[in-house]
Amino acid sequence: MFQRSITFDSPIYLLLLLLLPLMWWIGYRSLSGLGRWRRIVALVLRSTVLLILVFALADVQIQRRSDQLTVIYLLDQSLSIPVDQRQSMVDYVNDSIEQHHDAAHKDRYAVIVFGRDAGVEIPLVNVSIPLNPQIETVLDPEYTDLALAIQRAKAMFPFDAAKRIVLITDGNQNQGDARRGARAAAATGVSIDVVPVMLSARSEVAVEKIDVPAGARKGQPFEMRVVLRNDSPEDLGKTVPGKLRIVRKSGQREETIVEQDVDVPPGKRVFTISEEIDDPDFYTYEAHFSPNATADDGMTQNNKASAFTHVRGKGHVLLIENWDKQGEADYLVERLRKEDIAVTVTPSDRLFTSLAELQRYDSIILANVSRSTGTDADNVSSFSDDQISMLERNTREMGCGLIMLGGPDTFGAGGWTNTELEKAMPVNFEIKNAKVTPVGALVLMMHAGEMPRGNYWQKRIAIESIKILGSRDYCGLIQWNGSDQWLWGQSKGGILRTGPNRKMMMSRVDRMSIGDMPAFDPALKMAAQGFLGLKDAAVKHMIIISDGDPTPSTTATINSLKKQGVKVSTVAVGSHGRLGSQEMQRIAAATGGKYYAVKSAKALPRIYQREARRIARPLVYEPKPAVQPRIVSQHEILQGMEGGIPPISGFVLTSVKENPLVEILLRSPKPVDEKNATVLATWTYGAGKAVALTTDAGQRWANSWAQWDNYDKLFSQMVRWSMRPTDDLDNFTIATDVREGKTQVIITALDQDDQFLNDLSIAGTVVTPDMTSIPLRIEQTAPGRYVGQFDSEVAGSYMIVANTGAGRAPIRSGVNVGYSAEYRVNETNMALLRSLAELKAKGGPAGELVELGLDPSQPEGAAVSNPFRRDLEPAVSNQSIWPWLILIGNCLFLADVFVRRVQVNFLWVPPLFAKLRNKVLGRQHEAPVPETMSRLQSRKRELREQIESRRTAARFEGSADRVDDSQAIDLAASTATSTSTKPRPQPPKAQPEESPVEESYTERLLKAKKRVWEDRKDGNKDERNR
Amino acid sequence: MIGCLLQNLNQLLVASIAVGITFSAGCLSRPQQEGTADLIWGQSGITEGRLQKPRALAIDANDELYLVDMTARIQVFDTEGTYLRGWKTPISKNGRPSGLTIDRAGRLLVADTHYYRMLVYTPDGELLEDQTIGGTLGHGPGEFGFVTDVCEDSQGNFYVAEYGDFDRVQKFSPDGEFILQWGSPGADPGQFRRPQNMVIDSQDRIWVVDACNHRLQVFDSSGKLLSIWGEEGSELGKLYYPYDLALDGQGHVYVCEYGNHRVQKFTLEGKPVGSWGTHGKGPGQLHNPWAIARDSLGRIHVLDSNNHRVQRAIF
């Protein structure tokens, strides 16, 4: 199955091997003193070291070639493919696996489904598992992104097998670039087979668009155009009869302006309707076509289109109030209307759903509105992140006013901390000063693993809660993970300050995996213990989410929580029947918390937003006695209020933003820290203006304002100041045209005398349906005509704002892309699919295109091609081994040094062997005399013999003695000149005829000594004689 | 070539370590050391033969293992992990069964926890509806909270343990008539906090793992407390959420600890003899085991619930 070989990544370095002969030549000469064998060994070793070094430099690799194959099926699940075709796609995959997958080869396959995104339906397997007709992966089917699907497959391929993609699609992509994605894949050796899904030719009628001018004028008729398109196949050529209905909407009002029978012949048909608007407002027109016979229309999703227009009038304000406190702001609304401001009131459970809806208003007031409201799981409603984002964008980009009126449910106390809305306000909702407001502590207990997607939901709610908490608030999370555990801060009591740890908490939550908690009691005890350690927490709250089956807690534990003032709210999810919820109810009731029985997990984030808000209560400041706000700076909102502001008995604490645009208008004398005592502040936020009034509008804290003469003035001036500017001096018209996924914006600029305005610098911004802002480049193309363009593939509302220059009000418009591009097509994109199949995989052939494809008109289906065919280059994987080689080279280098420096002989082996042999055989053996001793002894013997022979000679030959003596003196003179200063007798010049017997060094020394003694004796005699 | 050599070297190294471990294990009294298991089988999944957090286990006289998992499927395997057959309980919306026992006749008794009742199945999965005991939530005789386990004595009487509403054991005649009950929620001797499992010995003594009190209690067939031992902890000899137990008939009791992720072997008096398993996902490691069973060869099958598998150990 696998073949291995050696390869080099940088073979150029192998040229260094040419150094080998040079090294041999030098080495052979320099190592000549080592003897033959050592020299050879040393040369071999250092040659190997050099070889290894060169191999390492050349990045030697072990190459593994595998004949395995991996096939990944990519199934298009986008809406352009009719539902009945999808079954045949699944059947095709199953047939392909059944007929061609050979488990013996250990070939693997996987199935990826895709639309706008891509998900793995079957992971890589090497056994035959049929694909379930019911696709389980959740996708966005409104778009097709072939490139993304190919990229996902590419990332999934294992490195040790040949790669093939089988693409089953109609080829109608509307996101990404499939060709580029496929080319990138082919370059890495991926072969692409294509199985086209043939879309049947059938009648298809679509409302292509509805055109209305973006800015109509009051009472001035305008033309509205509706374009219908009939895509009947040419051979049928059938006219489709049906009903066209056009509806005009403004706010909650809806009226049908056209309802008539029409015939739509093949091709396009344009209907022109004359329309006139009397009431200034923001209008949405919707055109809807319904065919008389459903068979005449393949897709109904593309049968409607909508467009906006805006008729300017007097200022219009949207006031949002909490749905459970409806009527609270009635007095304010009445007074504003009296001041000629149109006010629309909406409760917080019937909120806007798109940015377009907000365009009819010039200012938005949040009157004591909390982020989430409700009493139980069924009626908890909240602002979604998207809606908050719309409010913020509406001010920043679209220039709408935003006013937040206070009350116990607003600002930080309303759960708005760390939201986009906080960004738009001139004050921050958190208090950083501990002296001003005490902190709260929240403990989350998680035990909902048995509910569907339990881990996901528990992560979501934990993150929602952590987000809402202020920086100084405490947070802890208890879960079962083998034992009851705090998710963070185990050694510090488990409950940590949120601010410095928020990121860490979020990342831990992201990684948490929650087990099945056996009993409530130990976890509740841990929580009680944790709360005990918090000395500065004024509000202690706990939320338990559970299915209710852990062993109930003891009364003592519940009491210990109660004693500390901990309120425990319980959220029962998928609880195990009545019994599961009993215990949850008991805990909530005993501690004064709230019990929620949740039927849909979607309600959970809202519940947690509401519950986590409870610990923000300390932000409500109610001084006694009431305090009179001081006017800090003059502003057009406070014009005519020189007499002072009546006292207030409370407001919500905030922190002023450190920004030069922020203007503080009213401040309370208490608390002492001015930063937190803001009552009224304003600033300009992006293109809009925002106002924060931290006390209420006369209901509870500012009730003395209700009787105040300047009440109407204050609030009407506040609203008027915040409203988006309007400018009727110039005459700008803005038109939009949506075509092929792009929107063109055309602005015609005329001045008051209807003369073209040229050379304007117009900058635009588009807010897309997913609330991202994209810059829009608008350029002049003709006198008074300015054009820009942006991508609008995604269905939904696109809001356009164009700033026409300093001193002019921005102009606004919007387009609605009613349906996704998936509904625009009704034939297979064979050109694209063919080009994908023709791409050649690196080192292999092009892919195969199943020409017939999956065609519903051919029930027997296409012949299943064999994606497991072996026509691809075997997969090659390389593994670098140079680090190992370096290690071996190091060892060999040491060996080389050893061979050259240390002479090793084996003479010790035979004696050792003999000794061992004797020992084994039990033989007596005389210890051998060491060689050095025997040498000494023999030498001694020789010397003795020499001395002896000399003595013998001395007895018979006196001359010999004399010669010896003279030689001895000479020797002594050369060795001991320092000890004797006496002049030495000169050696005889004449050499004796017979060479004397050679004397040893010791003998000569002895003789010299003897002579010295004799000389001394002679000297002594001389002295005595004197 | 070199790759082969390296691979061989690696294998050699692994083998020598394994040999080292085997030798060192030889010094200890138990054959299965940490990190080893006699057999491991089971894979996470909802298709036939796969397991999704199995929570109860029973073994019959033929050494066939009955498992129930979080999909409320009862699946039967042989001791090698080969899937034999399976079926589902009638309803599981409120929750899944958490106790299985084989009675003397070889039928499967199912503690249908969240439906407050005991179900009886033939080994082939046929529900014997007339044999069902309970079904009503309450404190009264024959009413239940969360039923955890069922066992049968030599006279054919059934004992049913429960928690949630009222922690107790109720005794029923072979016909399902209520006879007596004992226990209440609490930590005193004779009281329970989640009696998670029971076994009955040859002398009709009922051994109960009192999970949240971290102890074992032994009763006679009339509910008289005979013995009680065990304390909370993770050291050898201590218990942390014992969830199941098995007797070997040779003077030992094996206790499966959900919280300590191990199986401990005790004498009948509670003296620890050995332990097997640590926390983890590797071989010989457990993650919240719920149940154990002992087969005719004396091998212990451990239901490694959160690892979705079964491990077999000899010790």
Side-chain angles (χ1 to χ4, degrees), chain A residues 189 199 211 221 224 244 283 331 371 542 701 723 774 949 971:
Chain A
L199 300 180
D211 275 346
M224 182 166 52
L244 177 67
Y283 291 91
Y331 182 72
R371 191 180 171 194
M542 182 167 180
W701 295 330
M723 282 179 168
I774 48 172
S949 66
L971 207 150

Side-chain angles (χ1 to χ4, degrees), chain B residues 125-141:
Chain B
E126 188 196 336
L127 177 62
L128 306 173
E129 286 189 30
D130 56 328
Q131 302 285 315
T132 300
I133 296 178
T136 313
L137 171 66
H139 282 73

Side-chain angles (χ1 to χ4, degrees), chain A residues 47-316:
Chain A
S47 303
T48 317
V49 170
L50 180 70
L51 192 73
I52 280 173
L53 280 177
V54 172
F55 274 26
L57 281 171
D59 193 1
V60 62
Q61 297 173 335
I62 294 176
Q63 191 171 67
R64 203 170 77 147
R65 296 166 79 84
S66 152
D67 65 346
Q68 283 184 2
L69 180 68
T70 298
V71 175
I72 298 184
Y73 296 90
L74 300 182
L75 262 71
D76 189 345
Q77 294 293 302
S78 66
L79 291 169
S80 60
I81 295 179
V83 176
D84 47 350
Q85 287 279 80
R86 294 186 193 174
Q87 179 58 45
S88 61
M89 291 161 77
V90 171
D91 292 344
Y92 182 88
V93 172
N94 285 337
D95 289 349
S96 167
I97 295 168
E98 194 185 327
Q99 292 173 24
H100 301 296
H101 178 245
D102 183 3
H105 272 103
K106 295 208 169 169
D107 287 340
R108 283 166 282 186
Y109 71 89
V111 179
I112 289 178
V113 290
F114 67 95
R116 184 186 206 172
D117 37 10
V120 177
E121 186 70 12
I122 295 182
L124 278 180
V125 287
N126 55 14
V127 291
S128 295
I129 301 173
L131 178 63
N132 197 330
Q134 200 65 42
I135 300 293
E136 287 175 5
T137 309
V138 181
L139 297 167
D140 177 0
E142 301 242 331
Y143 302 90
T144 305
D145 192 341
L146 286 165
L148 178 80
I150 293 171
Q151 194 187 357
R152 186 65 55 86
K154 200 176 130 208
M156 201 175 169
F157 278 116
F159 66 91
D160 60 350
K163 311 168 181 98
R164 173 163 289 128
I165 285 174
V166 179
L167 189 56
I168 308 172
T169 175
D170 62 357
N172 289 307
Q173 61 171 350
N174 38 44
Q175 296 215 329
D177 183 349
R179 281 195 185 90
R180 186 189 288 179
R183 271 198 300 272
T188 58
V190 179
S191 158
I192 301 175
D193 281 5
V194 179
V195 183
V197 177
M198 299 301 184
L199 300 180
S200 57
R202 56 185 171 174
S203 292
E204 175 55 45
V205 182
V207 180
E208 195 165 278
K209 63 178 174 181
I210 174 167
D211 275 346
V212 287
R217 294 198 169 227
K218 185 180 170 184
Q220 187 180 326
F222 61 89
E223 298 272 285
M224 182 166 52
R225 294 189 326 142
V226 179
V227 181
L228 297 183
R229 196 185 72 223
N230 181 353
D231 290 330
S232 291
E234 282 170 17
D235 50 333
L236 290 174
K238 188 181 166 191
T239 296
V240 176
K243 191 172 273 178
L244 177 67
R245 187 164 170 254
I246 299 173
V247 177
R248 184 172 70 189
K249 288 181 182 172
S250 60
Q252 305 294 325
R253 265 187 309 162
E254 189 174 314
E255 52 192 314
T256 304
I257 53 170
V258 170
E259 187 159 14
Q260 67 181 73
D261 292 325
V262 292
D263 289 330
V264 188
K268 284 185 184 176
R269 182 166 178 199
V270 181
F271 296 90
T272 309
I273 298 115
S274 185
E275 167 71 345
E276 186 179 329
I277 294 171
D278 296 327
D279 293 331
D281 207 336
F282 195 90
Y283 291 91
T284 307
Y285 288 90
E286 263 182 28
H288 187 262
F289 174 79
S290 39
N292 291 346
T294 49
D296 291 343
D297 194 7
M299 285 183 271
T300 53
Q301 291 92 336
N302 57 12
N303 285 8
K304 64 179 176 190
S306 60
F308 314 113
T309 190
H310 180 222
V311 178
R312 279 187 197 144
K314 61 182 182 179
H316 194 168

Side-chain angles (χ1 to χ4, degrees), chain A residues 603-677:
Chain A
L604 285 174
R606 298 203 289 271
I607 292 172
Y608 270 71
Q609 281 159 7
R610 188 174 190 281
E611 282 296 317
R613 186 156 61 83
R614 287 172 183 258
I615 71 155
R617 284 289 164 206
L619 291 170
V620 170
Y621 185 69
E622 294 180 322
K624 280 181 186 146
V627 290
Q628 188 174 13
R630 281 183 283 125
I631 297 178
V632 179
S633 61
Q634 275 307 327
H635 193 274
E636 60 180 281
I637 293 178
L638 295 178
Q639 260 178 16
M641 270 156 240
E642 288 73 22
I645 309 291
I648 54 169
S649 59
F651 60 96
V652 184
L653 295 171
T654 55
S655 306
V656 178
K657 271 186 183 152
E658 287 180 5
N659 189 310
L661 292 175
V662 174
E663 283 187 84
I664 307 295
L665 309 188
L666 295 179
R667 187 182 286 144
S668 160
K670 285 185 192 173
V672 185
D673 193 341
E674 287 187 345
K675 265 192 95 174
N676 308 125

Side-chain angles (χ1 to χ4, degrees), chain B residues 184-219:
Chain B
S184 59
D188 292 337
Q191 290 188 313
F192 302 110
R193 285 199 189 285
R194 191 158 177 165
Q196 183 63 41
N197 256 302
M198 299 182 291
V199 290
I200 206 148
D201 66 13
S202 54
Q203 295 160 48
D204 279 351
R205 291 180 303 198
I206 297 126
W207 293 69
V208 186
V209 275
D210 188 5
C212 297
N213 283 329
H214 315 286
R215 66 186 181 189
L216 260 78
Q217 298 194 69
V218 189
F219 301 88

